[in-house]
Amino acid sequence: MPDDSEEILKTRKFLKERLQTDYSTFRGHENERDNIRQLLQRTAEMGESNSMLLIGPRGSGKTTLVNAVLTDLMKNKDFIQNTLIVHLNGNLHTDDRLALKSVTVQMQLENATDGKVFGSFSENLAFLLACLKAGNKRSKSVVFILDEFDLFCAHHNQTLLYNLFDVSQSAQAPICVLGVTCRLDVIELLEKRVKSRFSHRQVFIFPNAEDFDEYVKLFAELLTIPSEKQLKELADRVGTLKHLQSSELTFHRSHFQPSKYKFSKKYMEAWNKHIAELIKTPSVVKSLQALFDFDVSQAFLKIFIFRLVCQMQTSLSIAEQITAEQITQLTAIYEMDEKVELLCGLSVLELCLIIAIKHHSEIYDRDPFNFEIIFSRFHKFAKVSSTMQGIERPVALKAFEHLRNMEIILPLTATTCKVQKEFEMHKMVLTYGQINQAVQRYQALPTEVQQWSQSSLI
């Protein structure tokens, strides 16, 4: 339908932008979200100091969770007026001197120095601590967000962490230290004196690897166009981010703006109906199950959907936009085995040697082998084969060495020992399934080689 081309173009832009720059929408883990929100609220409203670690694998949504909580709290006037947010990143602030300089700037304490230049790290630290300790319960609270928290543990004597945790445990200016890390053993990295001052509150974020139905719902949600009311609610929520006063936290500056988009009701219903029917298709469910088994994280699913959205064309109707065939083809790319692709690029002689190695491994329970053993087995096949006759021994040895160079077979011992290369023992680093798959997919493979791969009897 040509009259829908503008709407389809707008849909593609909307879905791309939402997938890439929606930094504050976090789905699931409600208990963990409440824990962090209450911790920050108590710091702002009651002057309660505390510390917490947010732990989870990369791509699980830790940073998005923190952004979502901060966005929720932007509706709270007390939080906006009473809180300073200080954001540090272990990759950027590689030592305590850089971290302290950033803290001083973010807390707007450079105005309080009256032109005084601090020479040493100890003077900088003493000034910062004096500012924090001069406060009381009624002072502005400070929220420290430490990304890549485990990298701060590598700093000399962990001075910054020690002093932050020390202030959070004393009745001085209310501060909250929120560490974000992907290391499960991060507590063990802390020195004893630092560990004793940490509250030992830990929140773990792991992707839900059991609920496939939720995964399918998420897939549909990320492709669905929200209603006008939902877009307005989302725009109001994003609009509150203008109150976020932080020079280091920048996610609100390039955030997805829902207020820019408006869809006709008829088109929106037609698109959402198409997506609802799509997720009921058996081939789509099968593809999503394969993706779910491969990687359960939302970040991976967003990348997959982004690649689907990129295939949308304005010349096609709604029903032809994101199809079951496209999803199946894209899933096949993720299921592709690099080793099988490598085997399909070998010569017929090299594949025959692989088949000979496979038969040897099956008969002798994956015992090590050398060139002589494999060439002897291959030679028996070559004598009765019309296509592999006349293969000379040096040519076969060269092919065997090529397999070793490609690391399809690996030597058992270091090459320094004085053993002739024909007698050096090797092991195979392929599964039988990978070899069978390569034989089936190999272009123009002689029939007798295919038959030999299925049976070692000649």
Side-chain angles (χ1 to χ4, degrees):
M1 291 186 289
D3 47 333
D4 278 341
S5 59
E6 285 186 18
E7 292 284 352
I8 288 169
L9 192 65
K10 200 194 300 179
T11 302
R12 186 172 66 186
K13 189 178 178 185
F14 170 80
L15 292 174
K16 276 185 176 183
E17 200 172 321
R18 186 172 66 176
L19 287 166
Q20 283 185 302
T21 58
D22 188 359
Y23 302 119
S24 62
T25 302
F26 185 80
R27 299 169 182 85
H29 298 288
E30 290 300 325
N31 292 337
E32 290 84 353
R33 187 171 181 159
D34 287 341
N35 280 342
I36 297 172
R37 189 193 296 116
Q38 287 169 17
L39 186 84
L40 298 184
Q41 264 182 322
R42 286 200 299 267
T43 303
E45 295 172 3
M46 303 176 192
E48 183 181 307
S49 294
N50 222 316
S51 51
M52 177 187 275
L53 281 178
L54 179 59
I55 302 170
R58 296 201 184 278
S60 57
K62 301 183 295 297
T63 304
T64 309
L65 173 55
V66 174
N67 293 346
V69 169
L70 289 175
T71 308
D72 294 342
L73 292 171
M74 287 300 111
K75 298 171 189 170
N76 187 330
K77 287 184 180 178
D78 290 339
F79 184 84
I80 296 167
Q81 293 168 0
N82 298 337
T83 310
L84 281 172
I85 296 173
V86 177
H87 181 261
L88 300 175
N89 190 306
N91 287 319
L92 294 176
H93 306 104
T94 50
D95 59 33
D96 286 346
R97 183 185 293 277
L98 288 171
L100 268 181
K101 190 175 179 183
S102 182
V103 170
T104 308
V105 171
Q106 291 183 63
M107 289 179 68
Q108 299 163 9
L109 293 176
E110 69 270 26
N111 301 327
T113 58
D114 296 325
K116 184 181 176 185
V117 178
F118 298 120
S120 67
F121 169 74
S122 57
E123 285 178 351
N124 265 307
L125 183 61
F127 172 69
L128 176 64
L129 291 176
C131 290
L132 288 172
K133 289 176 181 176
N136 52 41
K137 292 278 185 182
R138 288 170 294 180
S139 302
K140 247 191 176 184
S141 54
V142 186
V143 174
F144 287 89
I145 299 172
L146 307 183
D147 258 328
E148 306 293 343
F149 180 85
D150 50 293
L151 298 180
F152 287 97
C153 299
H155 292 185
H156 182 63
N157 288 341
Q158 299 181 357
T159 310
L160 180 72
L161 295 182
Y162 171 77
N163 285 288
L164 286 180
F165 286 149
D166 190 45
V167 172
S168 72
Q169 290 293 314
S170 55
Q172 292 153 358
I175 78 164
C176 175
V177 182
L178 179 61
V180 181
T181 180
C182 61
R183 286 195 60 168
L184 295 174
D185 62 340
V186 66
I187 297 290
E188 304 306 316
L189 302 177
L190 297 174
E191 290 181 4
K192 193 175 179 181
R193 63 185 187 132
V194 181
K195 201 186 290 185
S196 65
R197 284 162 175 77
F198 172 52
S199 68
H200 288 269
R201 287 182 182 224
Q202 297 174 67
V203 170
F204 292 91
I205 296 285
F206 292 105
N208 188 353
E210 295 174 359
D211 200 342
F212 175 65
D213 292 337
E214 282 298 318
Y215 192 78
V216 176
K217 282 181 190 172
L218 176 61
F219 177 81
E221 185 185 336
L222 290 171
L223 280 171
T224 303
I225 300 172
S227 65
E228 196 173 331
K229 184 184 175 185
Q230 290 170 326
L231 273 174
K232 189 176 183 303
E233 288 173 358
L234 196 57
D236 291 343
R237 185 170 184 271
V238 173
T240 61
L241 287 172
K242 65 187 177 195
H243 301 301
L244 186 61
Q245 303 295 327
S246 173
S247 57
E248 290 291 327
L249 273 175
T250 57
F251 73 91
H252 56 291
R253 296 179 195 170
S254 57
H255 198 284
F256 158 65
Q257 297 294 333
S259 55
K260 292 193 301 183
Y261 297 96
K262 192 172 183 180
F263 299 92
S264 71
K265 190 176 179 183
K266 185 181 175 184
Y267 172 81
M268 183 199 71
E269 287 173 353
W271 175 269
N272 290 348
K273 185 183 176 185
H274 167 60
I275 297 300
E277 289 171 355
L278 184 70
I279 60 169
K280 292 176 185 173
T281 313
S283 61
V284 172
V285 174
K286 186 180 176 183
S287 297
L288 288 176
Q289 183 67 60
L291 289 176
F292 185 71
D293 294 339
F294 184 73
D295 190 337
V296 296
S297 69
Q298 287 186 24
F300 173 76
L301 183 61
K302 282 183 177 180
I303 293 168
F304 179 82
I305 293 173
F306 187 85
R307 294 180 70 173
L308 278 178
V309 172
C310 288
Q311 296 178 25
M312 289 173 64
Q313 296 176 21
T314 53
S315 57
L316 301 175
S317 65
I318 292 175
E320 297 172 298
Q321 288 305 330
I322 293 176
T323 61
E325 290 76 22
Q326 288 176 331
I327 293 172
T328 306
Q329 286 169 11
L330 195 54
T331 307
I333 295 172
Y334 289 98
E335 291 180 319
M336 197 180 291
D337 192 329
E338 291 83 0
K339 288 275 177 71
V340 174
E341 295 299 309
L342 190 66
L343 291 177
C344 288
L346 297 176
S347 67
V348 176
L349 171 59
E350 287 164 346
L351 192 61
C352 284
L353 292 180
I354 293 283
I355 293 168
I357 292 169
K358 171 180 170 259
H359 290 325
H360 172 82
S361 298
E362 284 174 337
I363 294 166
Y364 296 104
D365 196 19
R366 283 193 173 268
D367 268 7
F369 54 86
N370 57 26
F371 171 72
E372 290 296 335
I373 295 170
I374 300 307
F375 183 72
S376 167
R377 186 168 292 278
F378 166 72
H379 190 60
K380 284 180 188 174
F381 166 70
K383 281 195 294 187
V384 296
S385 165
S386 59
T387 53
M388 303 309 290
Q389 282 180 354
I391 300 288
E392 296 181 1
R393 195 170 177 280
V395 177
L397 180 58
K398 199 71 180 172
F400 189 83
E401 287 176 351
H402 185 232
L403 294 178
R404 173 174 164 164
N405 291 338
M406 294 178 76
E407 297 186 352
I408 292 172
I409 57 174
L410 295 175
L412 284 181
T413 54
T415 52
T416 50
C417 55
K418 295 178 181 178
V419 179
Q420 285 185 342
K421 54 187 176 183
E422 294 93 329
F423 300 103
E424 193 175 350
M425 302 306 285
H426 293 75
K427 63 179 179 181
M428 182 173 67
V429 289
L430 298 168
T431 64
Y432 301 144
Q434 286 171 327
I435 297 170
N436 292 336
Q437 206 175 335
V439 168
Q440 288 168 6
R441 289 175 55 184
Y442 197 97
Q443 294 285 327
L445 187 68
T447 309
E448 53 195 8
V449 176
Q450 283 184 336
Q451 291 170 347
W452 181 46
S453 72
Q454 301 303 320
S455 171
S456 59
L457 300 174
I458 299 168

